């Protein structure tokens, strides 16, 4: 089968690999769609933590189930996606129901080869039914599940102001999940086109360009002097993460979804006097995937709104680098395989 390998930062090469054989407790998926996410882009740039080269990228995946062992509820030929974080089931996190933060976790396309390939083997326990959804939609359940998990971690309540820093695909998904939870979204980014998408396509009322004017003053005005009670970072940018500490209200929760390699810094007195809460949100659980699917089926969210670019598998090597340029206008690129 054909694969696409990130051999080192800034370099992709197509290669041939053995097609996976069915193992006990596993399933084989004929990959039909691959969503390109921030993890893939950061890996290509060389800025992704927990990463080694060479690596086959890709974990926003959907396809056709062609072989399966120990999954009696699934049928050969059905459209599926899967939870792409493989946990051990034995560690302290798994025993406490936090398999998304498993001590020994193996994330597709990060700790092990991902799904930029014609066929992919996954543990049968990770499979998720297509539920009649399209291949495009199924490939995008995962990034929305990331947002669903973060929003669940934040414990958002109705009508509270939630500042989402970063209007990339994950940030946009978070905004949609915040809306569903009843929060009032404030979008903060430096990209005018992304902020226009927030306003015109997602209906976000409050959009702030971090490069224009005093962000703190604008947040103060929007929130009637209170400042946001929830701040959620979806940038993975060190400067943005550090800056956002000053945007919290007293008693606020700050949730880090984006990931970067360095150390974060903030004023202890300023953080302490707010009695603020700082937490991370990693990956997602099966419950988050199922929640997202339920929202899609009820038409409360539409992941396909985010698809701006489509390419064939044999075009990815040539097109990928261009998606790093904000001028490309890419929000979500979708790779198609026959």
């Amino acid at each position: 089968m054909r694969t696409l390998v990130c051999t080192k930062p800034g370099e992709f090469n197509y290669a041939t690999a053995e097609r996976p054989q069915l193992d006990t407790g596993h399933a084989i998926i004929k990959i039909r769609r691959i969503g390109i996410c921030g993890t893939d882009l950061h890996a290509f740039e060389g800025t992704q933590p927990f990463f080694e080269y060479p690596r086959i990228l890709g974990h926003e995946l959907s396809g056709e189930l062609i072989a399966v062992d120990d999954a009696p509820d699934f049928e050969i030929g059905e459209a599926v996606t899967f939870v792409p974080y493989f946990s051990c089931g034995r560690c302290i996190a798994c025993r406490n129901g936090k398999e998304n933060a498993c001590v020994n976790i193996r994330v597709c396309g990060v700790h092990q080869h991902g799904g930029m390939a014609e066929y992919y083997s996954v543990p049968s326990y990770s499979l998720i039914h297509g539920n009649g959804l399209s291949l495009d939609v199924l490939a995008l359940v995962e990034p929305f599940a990331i947002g669903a998990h973060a929003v669940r971690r934040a414990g958002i309540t109705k009508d509270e102001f939630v500042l989402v820093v970063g209007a990339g695909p994950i940030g946009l998904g978070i905004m949609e999940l915040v809306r569903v939870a009843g929060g009032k979204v404030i979008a903060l980014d430096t990209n005018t086109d992304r902020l226009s998408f927030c306003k015109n396509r997602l209906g976000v009322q409050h959009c702030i360009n971090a490069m224009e004017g005093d962000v703190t003053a604008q947040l103060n005005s929007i929130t009637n002097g209170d400042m946001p009670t929830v701040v959620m970072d979806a940038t993975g940018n060190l400067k943005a993460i550090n800056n956002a500490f000053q945007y919290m209200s007293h008693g606020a929760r700050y949730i880090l979804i984006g990931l970067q390699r360095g150390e974060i810094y903030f004023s202890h007195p300023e953080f302490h006097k707010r009695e603020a809460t700082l937490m991370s949100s990693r990956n997602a659980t099966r419950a988050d995937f199922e929640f997202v699917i339920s929202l899609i089926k009820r038409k409360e969210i539409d992941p396909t709104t985010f698809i701006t670019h489509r390419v064939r598998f044999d075009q990815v090597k040539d097109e990928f680098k261009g998606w790093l340029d904000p001028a490309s206008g890419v929000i979500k690129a979708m790779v198609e395989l026959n």
Side-chain angles (χ1 to χ4, degrees):
M1 67 175 182
R2 202 175 190 202
T3 66
L4 181 59
V5 185
C6 188
T7 53
K8 63 182 181 180
E11 183 174 292
F12 270 128
N13 283 303
Y14 288 101
T16 301
E18 290 293 324
R19 178 171 161 175
Q21 301 298 308
L22 183 63
D23 290 330
T24 301
H26 281 68
I28 298 175
I29 301 171
K30 178 178 172 60
I31 300 298
R32 298 287 303 280
R33 297 289 188 276
I34 306 167
I36 303 300
C37 76
T39 298
D40 302 322
L41 296 171
H42 295 155
F44 186 77
E45 288 180 313
T47 59
Q48 175 65 32
F50 315 128
F51 202 86
E52 295 180 357
Y53 302 87
R55 181 68 75 219
I56 299 173
L57 308 181
H59 63 264
E60 296 180 4
L61 304 162
S62 67
E64 177 186 346
L65 186 63
I66 64 167
V68 65
D69 176 70
D70 195 24
D73 292 338
F74 287 83
E75 296 182 1
I76 300 302
E78 75 170 287
V80 295
T81 187
F82 63 97
V83 181
Y85 334 113
F86 305 143
S87 55
C88 71
R90 302 181 301 276
C91 72
I92 180 65
C94 289
R95 296 198 309 271
N96 287 326
K98 295 183 67 68
E99 63 276 7
N100 58 297
C102 171
V103 173
N104 306 300
I105 201 164
R106 306 292 294 176
V107 178
C108 298
V110 178
H111 305 96
Q112 66 180 54
H113 288 317
M116 286 192 180
E118 292 179 299
Y119 298 90
Y120 196 56
S121 175
V122 303
S124 295
Y125 67 75
S126 69
L127 289 173
I128 293 181
H129 289 287
N131 285 292
L133 300 178
S134 71
L135 290 167
D136 284 347
V137 169
L138 288 174
L140 296 181
V141 170
E142 192 271 345
F144 275 81
I146 295 286
H149 188 74
V151 167
R152 184 155 61 93
R153 290 273 289 155
I156 291 168
T157 58
K158 183 174 173 56
D159 290 334
E160 67 176 327
F161 283 105
V162 180
L163 174 64
V164 180
V165 185
I170 294 296
L172 294 170
I174 290 169
M175 293 177 202
E176 287 284 77
L177 273 298
V178 170
R179 173 184 59 77
V180 170
K184 296 178 180 178
V185 177
I186 306 171
L188 177 65
D189 203 283
T190 59
N191 186 311
T192 302
D193 292 337
R194 290 280 177 88
L195 291 172
S196 295
F197 186 92
C198 293
K199 183 176 182 179
N200 300 324
R201 299 291 292 276
L202 301 186
V204 176
Q205 182 179 356
H206 305 291
C207 298
I208 300 174
N209 191 319
M211 304 300 289
E212 299 176 359
D214 186 329
V215 173
T216 300
Q218 294 178 73
L219 289 170
N220 197 55
S221 176
I222 291 168
T223 62
N224 297 313
D226 290 336
M227 300 297 284
T229 50
V230 178
V231 176
M232 308 182 77
D233 177 80
T235 67
N237 176 276
L238 184 58
K239 182 178 180 180
I241 290 170
N242 287 337
N243 284 344
F245 279 94
Q246 64 188 301
Y247 304 147
M248 297 185 297
S249 72
H250 281 238
R253 293 96 74 199
Y254 187 2
I255 298 87
L256 300 177
I257 304 102
L259 183 63
Q260 50 79 45
R261 286 180 176 272
E263 298 178 348
I264 58 176
Y265 294 93
F266 56 90
S267 165
H268 187 180
E270 288 297 318
F271 187 82
H272 192 92
K273 75 181 184 182
R274 288 170 169 79
E275 198 180 52
T277 299
L278 175 64
M279 66 181 79
S280 61
S281 179
R282 189 180 188 193
N283 302 325
T285 66
R286 173 174 288 273
D288 298 313
F289 277 70
E290 292 173 349
F291 176 64
V292 167
I293 288 174
S294 72
L295 292 179
I296 295 169
K297 291 183 74 67
R298 295 200 302 266
K299 301 188 184 304
E300 293 189 46
I301 58 173
D302 180 7
T304 61
T305 301
F306 290 12
I307 300 175
T308 54
H309 293 60
R310 289 184 181 275
V311 298
R312 299 188 308 274
F313 186 57
D314 59 8
Q315 296 175 306
V316 177
K317 178 181 177 180
D318 295 331
E319 298 288 336
F320 195 96
K321 186 176 182 178
W323 297 334
L324 296 169
D325 183 357
S328 68
V330 66
I331 291 177
K332 178 61 65 176
M334 183 64 70
V335 180
E336 299 180 350
L337 293 82
N338 295 326

